[in-house]
Amino acid sequence: MVTRKVLMLGLLWVCLLHSCLTAMVFTGTADHQPRGFVARGAGSDEKILHRQKRGWMWNQFFLLEEYTGSDYQYVGKLHSDQDKGDGSLKYILSGDGAGTLFIIDERTGDIHATRRIDREEKAFYTLRAQAINRRTLRPVEPESEFVIKIHDINDNEPTFPEEVYTASVPEMSVVGTSVVQVTATDADDPSYGNSARIIYSILQGQPYFSVEPETGIIRTALPNMNRENREQYQVVIQAKDMGGQMGGLSGTTTVNITLTDVNDNPPRFPQSSVHLRIPESSPVGTAIGSIKASDADIGRNAELEYRIIDGDGRDMFDVVTQKDTQEGIITVRKPLDYENRRLYTLKVEAENLYVDPRFYYLGPFKDTTTVKISVEDVDEPPVFSRSSYLFEIHEDIEVGTIIGTVMARDPDSAAGPIRFSLDRHTDLDRIFNIHSGNGSIYTSKMLDREASQWHNLSVIAVEINNPKEMARVAVYVRILDVNDNAPQFAVFYDTFVCENARAGQLIQTISAVDKDDPLGGQKFFFSLAAVNPNFTVQDNEDNTARILTRRNGFSRHEISTYLLPVVISDNDYPIQSSTGTLTIRVCACDSRGNMQSCNAEALLLPAGLSTGALIAILLCIIILLVIVVLFAALKRQRKKEPLILSKEDIRDNIVSYNDEGGGEEDTQAFDIGTLRNPAAIEDKKLRRDIIPETLFIPRRTPSAPDNTDVRDFINQRLKEHDNDPSAPPYDSLATYAYEGNDSIAESLSSLESGTTEGDQNYDYLKEWGPRFNKLAEMYGGGESDKDTS
């Protein structure tokens, strides 16, 4: 603040010495036209300048910005040559800020600024001045325009558009490489003094970077700056006005500079050799392990490519570059065998994909390492001598014949014995079997090519010492044909001959089939088993034959059907033949040979009786039979028809054990009162569940004597019902009103006990055996206790 005040006072002093404050004096004529002006500066000798032309322009008033005085700041003075000093003229000011920012004394023409003015807000003001007669209010001078220009002072420091800049430069750049340019601005007047002249300097970031004072361009200051050593730098730049001189105002900004990577580091393997292991059973494509060369660079400059350049395992292994991790993955290229080779050596090279020619001098951008791969032994399953087996046998071989042998071995160094077996899922009928020791396959049943021509078996080989190791092989058995089937008719033939047939007439063409399949194809021969006077067979020599008649005319009355045995033979070895019998019916035919009727019975019927009449007669007979059957059934059903068909009356063989019943009153099937009083036997009542066939007087049964036992009475009544054909069966009659004879043990219930305990004697319980000991102790013991008490 002190420096700013000193500067303002100095500028004020300079302006006063150079007549910054000027008075404008108008000169006029009688016609009120301006003829010139007089500029009066504060402290001058008031020299008058006369101008003859009217094309002049007003000079500028100058006013210092940021005035801090307590009084209004004096700007200048307007004066007309028509002013006699008697106060008859009035000066009027108009334009920018007139009346508010700038005021004029109406009598003297002095102009003052009412407040502090900021040049950066507005650099100049345009105003208009006029002098008028106070009495008549008429102008004595025409309105004229002038400018008040604000003089600048250094009151604004340089500023950067951004507080923090971000920039980058490649590592290993030469000294003086441009990084970024920063530019500051100053709101002061660049055309006046050095208030807006900016000089740049570096406050932080040396000795790595420098800045050009005039342009603000930041450049590298050290050679071979390595990103791998340091990547980030922070540089502070200062911008100072007044040409960087003492007393100038300044501003700063921060520039974060990053060194970008270049490919200046070749890849290097951390070890000269790597040892890997893999089981011999690993399939092709299995990853064994990984190798990685280190590269201090990043991104694109660190991308590598791995390849095998030498070694005895070049054809057995591959190396694949993993792009995301930049590793080399060693994989299996061909199947491994521990018994053949146990150690492989590879020479693997890693090379940068993108090399910068500027850094060739740093050495080759590739490196090599040695990879040793050990193959580990694994207990492998047996290996068959072939991938599959094909055996061909004839179908007529004997059971137990060996059809072929499969061979397998243990590929391990310590070869163990092998056991063979058949997968029974491929031989469900158990037609074949195999010797477990030598792998010989033999038949266990007779073969039949016509049933199955191919058998697809699966043989399993298992190590005896390690049953988990097993292998399978497919065995295809083809059954070769043997001529063991005789030819037969191809179809069933329905052959007929017309009654009016002529000798040599064709009545049927026959063909044959054979289940066998000879190599030369089928060839059949047809002949008759014996000479037949009625028919003959003629071989067409194309596996078909024709049946011809040998005489004229046939009669259904004499013979309605002929049986013609035909012998069919094949042409293979051994020759097979069979006899097929043709059934030839004799039929009535029209003149064209079309069959009309073949039934001989039709000739015996009356000539006038048609087929429709015969059918009608048969239907009538069937209807009469049906009526008779229905009548008989209805008559039988009428004999015994229950009047009540409810489930409450069905009581033939139902015994229920979960219902105690309703007591003695709950019985309808039998009169319990008879059991209680055998002498009170009522007369036999009629049945209510069936319709009585006839009204007959019921038989009276003799009364049982008074001393008759109840069991005899029950047996007697059962016998009566059994002999009564109209009574329903009572096979499962259960009677609960009779308890039977008295038990020798008598009743153990306390219901019939005496009123006092003394009346009961339980000593007899001890005589009943071990099962009643507990009961005897309970009752007998109580008696003794009472006595002792």
Side-chain angles (χ1 to χ4, degrees):
M1 293 299 295
V2 175
T3 303
R4 184 175 296 180
K5 290 181 179 180
V6 171
L7 289 173
M8 294 175 64
L9 292 175
L11 288 174
L12 180 61
W13 177 77
V14 172
C15 291
L16 292 176
L17 290 179
H18 293 81
S19 302
C20 290
L21 302 178
T22 308
M24 301 299 177
V25 181
F26 294 93
T27 60
T29 60
D31 56 0
H32 309 294
Q33 297 296 327
R35 292 178 297 166
F37 67 91
V38 177
R40 296 180 179 177
S44 66
D45 54 1
E46 296 185 0
K47 295 179 180 181
I48 300 175
L49 300 177
H50 298 279
R51 299 192 61 161
Q52 301 299 326
K53 294 184 178 181
R54 301 182 63 181
W56 48 265
M57 293 199 52
W58 288 91
N59 284 337
Q60 296 177 342
F61 286 105
F62 293 97
L63 185 64
L64 192 66
E65 71 167 331
E66 303 293 345
Y67 173 73
T68 58
S70 58
D71 297 332
Y72 288 164
Q73 186 178 4
Y74 182 71
V75 179
K77 185 178 180 64
L78 296 178
H79 187 73
S80 173
D81 57 358
Q82 300 294 325
D83 189 1
K84 304 302 183 183
D86 56 358
S88 60
L89 295 182
K90 179 180 179 181
Y91 295 97
I92 299 174
L93 188 65
S94 63
D96 292 342
T100 55
L101 179 59
F102 300 104
I103 59 174
I104 188 172
D105 191 335
E106 296 179 354
R107 293 182 176 275
T108 63
D110 293 330
I111 301 174
H112 290 83
T114 61
R115 60 180 174 82
R116 185 172 60 181
I117 298 176
D118 187 3
R119 189 201 68 83
E120 287 72 33
E121 181 179 347
K122 191 167 184 178
F124 62 90
Y125 296 86
T126 302
L127 298 156
R128 291 181 299 277
Q130 190 175 34
I132 63 174
N133 188 285
R134 186 181 296 274
R135 184 173 55 83
T136 62
L137 299 180
R138 299 187 63 180
V140 298
E141 293 286 350
E143 188 178 52
S144 298
E145 187 176 77
F146 65 96
V147 175
I148 300 176
K149 187 175 182 181
I150 311 302
H151 269 307
D152 182 50
I153 64 173
N154 190 16
D155 60 342
N156 291 279
E157 68 274 4
T159 58
F160 290 93
E162 297 181 16
E163 293 183 1
V164 178
Y165 288 84
T166 301
S168 62
V169 64
E171 64 173 332
M172 307 298 289
S173 298
V174 297
V175 175
T177 301
S178 175
V179 180
V180 68
Q181 183 179 12
V182 293
T183 303
T185 58
D186 196 323
D188 294 326
D189 189 0
S191 62
Y192 182 77
N194 293 329
S195 298
R197 184 188 174 196
I198 299 175
I199 299 297
Y200 300 94
S201 61
I202 184 168
L203 300 182
Q204 178 181 326
Q206 296 173 332
Y208 306 103
F209 299 94
S210 62
V211 63
E212 292 184 356
E214 300 292 338
T215 62
I217 297 176
I218 301 174
R219 299 182 182 275
T220 58
L222 285 181
N224 300 328
M225 286 193 294
N226 196 345
R227 183 199 66 84
E228 287 73 31
N229 294 334
R230 183 176 177 181
E231 185 176 4
Q232 299 288 339
Y233 295 87
Q234 190 176 72
V235 178
V236 179
I237 301 298
Q238 181 189 61
K240 191 174 184 180
D241 60 11
M242 298 297 293
Q245 298 177 3
M246 184 177 296
L249 303 179
S250 63
T252 60
T253 187
T254 301
V255 183
N256 293 326
I257 301 175
T258 302
L259 296 184
T260 58
D261 185 60
V262 298
N263 193 5
D264 59 339
N265 293 280
R268 292 291 180 263
F269 281 104
Q271 299 175 347
S272 60
S273 64
V274 179
H275 197 177
L276 303 176
R277 298 179 180 274
I278 183 172
E280 63 173 333
S281 60
S282 300
V284 174
T286 301
I288 305 174
S290 64
I291 57 176
K292 184 175 183 179
S294 59
D295 192 330
D297 298 320
I298 59 175
R300 186 172 182 266
N301 298 317
E303 292 185 9
L304 302 174
E305 182 179 8
Y306 296 88
R307 56 179 173 268
I308 300 174
I309 59 175
D310 198 5
D312 54 12
R314 297 179 62 180
D315 59 339
M316 298 296 296
F317 303 95
D318 279 331
V319 60
V320 180
T321 303
Q322 198 77 15
K323 294 297 183 182
D324 53 347
T325 61
Q326 294 299 309
E327 292 180 330
I329 309 299
I330 308 295
T331 60
V332 179
R333 185 177 181 181
K334 292 182 180 180
L336 304 173
D337 189 359
Y338 172 83
E339 287 70 29
N340 291 336
R341 187 159 192 172
R342 305 180 182 182
L343 181 64
Y344 294 91
T345 302
L346 304 175
K347 189 174 183 180
V348 182
E349 180 183 74
E351 183 179 14
N352 277 135
L353 290 177
Y354 308 102
V355 181
D356 194 336
R358 296 177 300 168
F359 304 105
Y360 279 154
Y361 67 92
L362 296 177
F365 283 80
K366 56 185 176 181
D367 194 15
T368 60
T369 187
T370 300
V371 179
K372 295 182 179 180
I373 302 175
S374 296
V375 180
E376 297 179 343
D377 187 24
V378 175
D379 193 1
E380 302 174 85
V383 178
F384 285 94
S385 59
R386 301 180 191 175
S387 58
S388 63
Y389 293 86
L390 173 62
F391 300 136
E392 294 182 344
I393 54 174
H394 287 87
E395 60 178 326
D396 61 345
I397 63 173
E398 297 180 358
V399 175
T401 303
I402 295 177
I403 64 173
T405 302
V406 296
M407 300 181 63
R409 63 178 181 86
D410 186 358
D412 298 322
S413 56
I418 305 296
R419 184 178 68 250
F420 299 93
S421 62
L422 276 176
D423 186 352
R424 287 303 174 185
H425 292 89
T426 61
D427 184 26
L428 297 176
D429 296 331
R430 296 184 176 270
I431 299 175
F432 302 94
N433 212 333
I434 188 171
H435 290 287
S436 61
N438 56 20
S440 298
I441 302 175
Y442 59 92
T443 60
S444 57
K445 291 183 180 181
M446 293 297 296
L447 303 177
D448 186 3
R449 188 201 68 86
E450 287 69 37
S452 179
Q453 186 177 356
W454 286 90
H455 296 274
N456 300 326
L457 307 178
S458 179
V459 177
I460 303 172
V462 179
E463 293 184 16
I464 296 179
N465 298 330
N466 186 7
K468 294 182 179 180
E469 297 298 333
M470 58 180 296
R472 292 174 177 265
V473 70
V475 178
Y476 305 102
V477 181
R478 180 182 180 184
I479 310 301
L480 302 179
D481 185 43
V482 173
N483 192 24
D484 56 349
N485 292 279
Q488 297 176 350
F489 283 133
V491 295
F492 173 77
Y493 295 101
D494 186 12
T495 307
F496 70 93
V497 61
C498 295
E499 289 182 311
N500 55 359
R502 300 296 180 183
Q505 184 174 344
L506 174 65
I507 63 172
Q508 184 70 60
T509 300
I510 60 175
S511 62
V513 293
D514 194 339
K515 295 181 180 180
D516 295 322
D517 187 16
L519 297 177
Q522 298 284 4
K523 179 63 178 176
F524 301 125
F525 301 96
F526 300 88
S527 62
L528 294 179
V531 177
N532 191 295
N534 302 311
F535 304 97
T536 184
V537 61
Q538 184 177 356
D539 196 333
N540 296 328
E541 296 183 358
D542 60 352
N543 292 339
T544 63
R546 297 185 298 171
I547 306 299
L548 305 175
T549 59
R550 296 189 65 181
R551 65 183 178 88
N552 296 329
F554 295 87
S555 176
R556 287 182 291 169
H557 299 284
E558 298 177 359
I559 300 177
S560 61
T561 303
Y562 293 91
L563 299 179
L564 182 63
V566 179
V567 178
I568 310 173
S569 304
D570 58 20
N571 194 33
D572 203 0
Y573 179 83
I575 295 176
Q576 300 287 341
S577 63
S578 65
T579 300
T581 302
L582 284 177
T583 301
I584 303 174
R585 296 180 298 159
V586 180
C587 300
C589 302
D590 57 13
S591 59
R592 296 182 180 180
N594 298 323
M595 180 181 64
Q596 290 183 338
S597 176
C598 297
N599 296 328
E601 292 78 4
L603 300 174
L604 303 177
L605 296 175
L609 195 58
S610 63
T611 304
L614 290 175
I615 295 174
I617 293 173
L618 291 176
L619 289 176
C620 292
I621 294 173
I622 293 173
I623 292 174
L624 290 174
L625 291 175
V626 171
I627 292 174
V628 172
V629 171
L630 290 176
F631 181 76
L634 291 174
K635 185 176 181 181
R636 179 175 296 179
Q637 185 176 5
R638 191 180 300 173
K639 287 184 178 181
K640 293 183 180 181
E641 184 179 21
L643 296 176
I644 302 173
L645 294 177
S646 63
K647 62 181 181 179
E648 296 179 356
D649 195 55
I650 299 174
R651 54 186 182 273
D652 291 348
N653 294 308
I654 300 177
V655 179
S656 179
Y657 299 99
N658 60 351
D659 186 10
E660 295 183 357
E664 296 179 353
E665 300 300 329
D666 185 14
T667 174
Q668 297 179 1
F670 198 81
D671 189 0
I672 303 302
T674 304
L675 298 178
R676 296 173 180 170
N677 188 8
I681 300 176
E682 297 180 0
D683 294 339
K684 185 175 182 180
K685 297 180 181 180
L686 297 179
R687 293 178 58 85
R688 293 175 299 169
D689 57 343
I690 61 173
I691 299 175
E693 295 180 358
T694 57
L695 295 176
F696 60 91
I697 299 174
R699 293 185 299 112
R700 295 189 57 87
T701 57
S703 301
D706 295 342
N707 57 355
T708 302
D709 190 78
V710 176
R711 284 180 298 177
D712 296 338
F713 168 75
I714 293 175
N715 292 332
Q716 180 182 353
R717 295 301 299 269
L718 285 176
K719 185 176 181 180
E720 292 177 2
H721 282 278
D722 289 340
N723 295 329
D724 187 2
S726 62
Y730 285 94
D731 296 341
S732 300
L733 180 64
T735 302
Y736 302 98
Y738 175 65
E739 295 184 357
N741 295 329
D742 294 342
S743 173
I744 58 175
E746 297 183 355
S747 176
L748 299 180
S749 174
S750 61
L751 297 178
E752 299 179 357
S753 302
T755 56
T756 61
E757 295 182 359
D759 298 336
Q760 297 291 334
N761 186 6
Y762 298 100
D763 294 337
Y764 59 86
L765 293 177
K766 297 179 182 180
E767 300 175 358
W768 286 5
R771 295 185 179 182
F772 296 90
N773 289 341
K774 188 66 177 178
L775 193 61
E777 293 176 1
M778 294 174 60
Y779 286 88
E783 194 74 9
S784 60
D785 293 343
K786 183 178 179 180
D787 296 339
T788 57
S789 60

